[in-house]
Amino acid sequence: MEKTSTDALPLTVDFSEEQETVCIFGTGDFGRSLGLKMLQCGYSIVFGSRNPRMSSLLPSGAEVLSYSEAAQKSDIIILTIHREHYDFLTDLIEVLNEKILVDVSNNLKINQYSESNAEYLAQLVPGAHVVKAFNTISAWALQSGALDASRQVFVCGNDSKAKQRVMDIVRSLGLTPLDQGSLMAASAIENYPLQLFPMWKFPFYLAAVLCVFFFLYCVIREVIYPYVYEKKDSTFRMAISIPNHVFPAMALTLLALVYLPGVIAAILQLYRGTKYHRFPDWLDHWLLCRKQLGLVALGFAFLHVLYTLVIPIRYYVRWRLGNVTATQAISKKGNSFSTSSAWLSDSYLALGILGFFLFVLLGITSLPSVSNMVNWREFRFVQSKLGYLTLILCTAHTLIYGGKRFLSPSILRWYLPSTYVLALIIPCTVLVIKFILILPCIDKTLTRIRQGWERNSKFSKSALNGKADF
């Protein structure tokens, strides 16, 4: 076990060293919060303001001067002002020459301008070293502490020394700097805080469409059909019964859709004979959204469990059970015990419990705090091997639920099968194709392709003949 050097871990801050002075242009909420945080971390702060005498609510210990005077106090200037107010900087070009300008601004819309704010700033003040940083941190996060918000700060800039100094400041504030490269990355960094669940849109839209489809499908079979043929009002089923048919169908279908893109990707690689061709954009995006799809599926599984638990206390169930009991008491006849039915019922429940347990385990391991604690092989084992086992258990749970009624014509209403039959289409398809892909003759070829082998490559042919160059 390696010993950690105590020289690399200072336990106290040496205040005997001269404090570094940092200038902040702007005295708004973010500027004041950032100034206070830097004062607490041992920096000397000078605020630049258009009205120094009118500035108030500034942290104690900070100095406030005009823009020109404040800029002369430090070689690092943090601009906490909006792009619309950058014009005054043209009057300070000489003062700002060779200074490090840190742009923290954001826009109101994604790609609002043709160039990023940081690139526009670099054009206004060509003699300065512009660095983009701090735009992903809010004033509230600085006030409440890094533990209550994201600790990551994206940093980019063309001058490596200037960028390194800004990253050192970020670290001293207890935050984590992430170097994003040159100033060309500023546009993406500025768009990042404006994105609203970018990876969740497709899963949410897909889940909404499928949910509406399954719900209307169940309404047609269980509400409209009985009313048309029997004049029976079954609208009360729309509260508990129908949702409890929709939720498991959604959970199983979405879980299968988590593993379907991987199967499609494997088929494409086998067809192309190489891994060096890009997947179609729709498939690439689908692959990136698998985690979110799985979590949405887990949410529907939770709803299914909760709705199932309330079944015994429903009025309809209690009424029906009471009628059956009374009828048996009057006729003095009871149903004989069926061992096969008992096996089916217990197997159905056992598979559901085991499947839900593994489902929850998959959801837990997808959390960053957990996934960061395991290595890639362990994560892949849980998400792939146990993931497919979960899909198998949940599919078997649904198959046994249908039992003898699975393909019986008596369950058809207007030639429409039960919801669980539709829910089994994608999972069964995925499992059948996956079984074919893991056959040794196919899996061996697929593994070689993923290791870099190409079917029509001269290098691959020479490697097979033992003539590969190294």
Side-chain angles (χ1 to χ4, degrees):
M1 185 174 179
E2 295 182 2
K3 294 183 179 180
T4 304
S5 174
T6 55
D7 295 335
L9 300 172
L11 300 179
T12 60
V13 179
D14 186 5
F15 289 100
S16 62
E17 297 182 2
E18 184 178 353
Q19 292 180 323
E20 183 178 1
T21 300
V22 176
C23 175
I24 298 178
F25 277 7
T27 56
D29 291 339
F30 187 83
R32 294 196 305 268
S33 301
L34 182 59
L36 176 60
K37 183 70 175 178
M38 297 185 73
L39 281 170
Q40 294 172 346
C41 294
Y43 288 92
S44 177
I45 302 300
V46 178
F47 283 97
S49 174
R50 55 187 172 184
N51 296 312
R53 297 182 182 180
M54 300 292 292
S55 300
S56 59
L57 302 177
L58 295 178
S60 177
E63 185 179 6
V64 57
L65 301 171
S66 66
Y67 289 130
S68 178
E69 294 173 332
Q72 298 176 18
K73 294 280 187 175
S74 174
D75 58 349
I76 297 181
I77 302 171
I78 302 177
L79 301 179
T80 62
I81 54 180
H82 293 284
R83 171 179 176 145
E84 293 78 11
H85 307 299
Y86 282 176
D87 293 342
F88 78 94
L89 295 173
T90 56
D91 298 330
L92 304 175
I93 290 181
E94 294 184 3
V95 179
L96 299 178
N97 190 44
E98 295 299 323
K99 302 278 187 179
I100 299 175
L101 297 184
V102 183
D103 177 48
V104 305
S105 63
N106 284 318
N107 296 318
L108 298 177
K109 299 178 182 178
I110 294 178
N111 297 326
Q112 185 173 353
Y113 302 100
S114 58
E115 74 283 317
S116 66
N117 296 346
E119 291 173 312
Y120 174 68
L121 178 61
Q123 294 172 9
L124 282 180
V125 191
H129 306 297
V130 177
V131 177
K132 187 75 184 183
F134 292 112
N135 70 304
T136 56
I137 299 293
S138 65
W140 173 84
L142 291 170
Q143 294 170 2
S144 58
L147 295 178
D148 296 328
S150 173
R151 300 170 60 93
Q152 295 182 344
V153 176
F154 298 124
V155 182
C156 72
N158 294 333
D159 188 277
S160 58
K161 293 182 179 179
K163 186 166 54 175
Q164 185 60 49
R165 289 195 61 183
V166 175
M167 293 174 66
D168 291 339
I169 293 177
V170 173
R171 291 190 189 92
S172 68
L173 300 182
L175 304 172
T176 304
L178 297 178
D179 190 349
Q180 300 297 297
S182 69
L183 213 56
M184 294 177 62
S187 181
I189 295 176
E190 291 171 4
N191 288 335
Y192 180 80
L194 302 176
Q195 296 175 348
L196 181 63
F197 302 116
M199 300 305 297
W200 288 88
K201 289 183 179 180
F202 171 69
F204 280 152
Y205 289 150
L206 179 62
V209 171
L210 288 176
C211 197
V212 171
F213 167 75
F214 279 124
F215 184 82
L216 294 177
Y217 187 87
C218 290
V219 168
I220 293 173
R221 291 191 76 258
E222 301 180 27
V223 177
I224 298 178
Y225 182 89
Y227 181 78
V228 171
Y229 284 95
E230 304 173 13
K231 298 301 179 183
K232 183 180 179 181
D233 184 7
S234 300
T235 53
F236 68 92
R237 291 181 174 273
M238 297 172 65
I240 297 294
S241 297
I242 290 180
N244 204 30
H245 291 162
V246 172
F247 294 152
M250 288 293 301
L252 182 59
T253 301
L254 290 177
L255 179 62
L257 290 175
V258 171
Y259 294 97
L260 180 58
V263 169
I264 296 175
I267 294 174
L268 281 176
Q269 289 178 335
L270 285 171
Y271 174 75
R272 295 169 173 174
T274 179
K275 70 172 185 178
Y276 297 110
H277 287 181
R278 284 185 58 85
F279 294 131
D281 291 339
W282 59 269
L283 180 57
D284 193 43
H285 186 67
W286 191 355
L287 288 166
L288 294 175
C289 292
R290 288 180 295 178
K291 173 183 174 181
Q292 288 76 12
L293 275 173
L295 292 176
V296 174
L298 178 59
F300 280 107
F302 264 110
L303 287 174
H304 173 50
V305 171
L306 294 176
Y307 270 65
T308 302
L309 292 176
V310 303
I311 286 178
I313 64 175
R314 292 178 60 207
Y315 168 77
Y316 171 73
V317 173
R318 290 186 285 112
W319 171 83
R320 186 175 178 180
L321 182 61
N323 276 5
V324 171
T325 303
T327 301
Q328 291 177 346
I330 294 172
S331 63
K332 295 182 180 180
K333 293 182 179 179
N335 297 327
S336 60
F337 180 80
S338 173
T339 304
S340 61
S341 297
W343 264 108
L344 285 174
S345 176
D346 288 358
S347 300
Y348 155 73
L349 293 173
L351 289 170
I353 293 171
L354 291 174
F356 182 68
F357 169 76
L358 291 180
F359 217 144
V360 174
L361 182 62
L362 291 175
I364 293 175
T365 53
S366 68
L367 298 175
S369 57
V370 178
S371 60
N372 291 338
M373 299 297 293
V374 297
N375 59 39
W376 171 244
R377 186 176 183 182
E378 294 168 341
F379 180 79
R380 189 168 180 268
F381 171 79
V382 173
Q383 294 295 323
S384 181
K385 302 298 190 297
L386 292 187
Y388 272 105
L389 178 58
T390 304
L391 183 59
I392 292 172
L393 291 175
C394 293
T395 303
H397 169 71
T398 308
L399 283 169
I400 294 178
Y401 171 77
K404 300 176 181 179
R405 305 167 300 167
F406 183 62
L407 296 177
S408 174
S410 62
I411 69 170
L412 299 178
R413 295 180 179 178
W414 282 330
Y415 301 102
L416 300 177
S418 297
T419 311
Y420 64 83
V421 177
L422 297 183
L424 284 168
I425 295 175
I426 298 179
C428 290
T429 302
V430 171
L431 291 176
V432 170
I433 297 176
K434 182 63 178 178
F435 176 77
I436 296 174
L437 291 175
I438 63 176
L439 293 176
C441 56
I442 298 178
D443 181 64
K444 182 178 179 181
T445 302
L446 185 59
T447 301
R448 290 169 61 197
I449 290 174
R450 289 174 175 173
Q451 291 176 345
W453 176 80
E454 295 182 90
R455 183 183 298 127
N456 299 321
S457 172
K458 294 181 180 180
F459 174 80
S460 298
K461 293 179 179 179
S462 63
L464 291 175
N465 296 327
K467 299 179 181 179
D469 295 328
F470 294 94

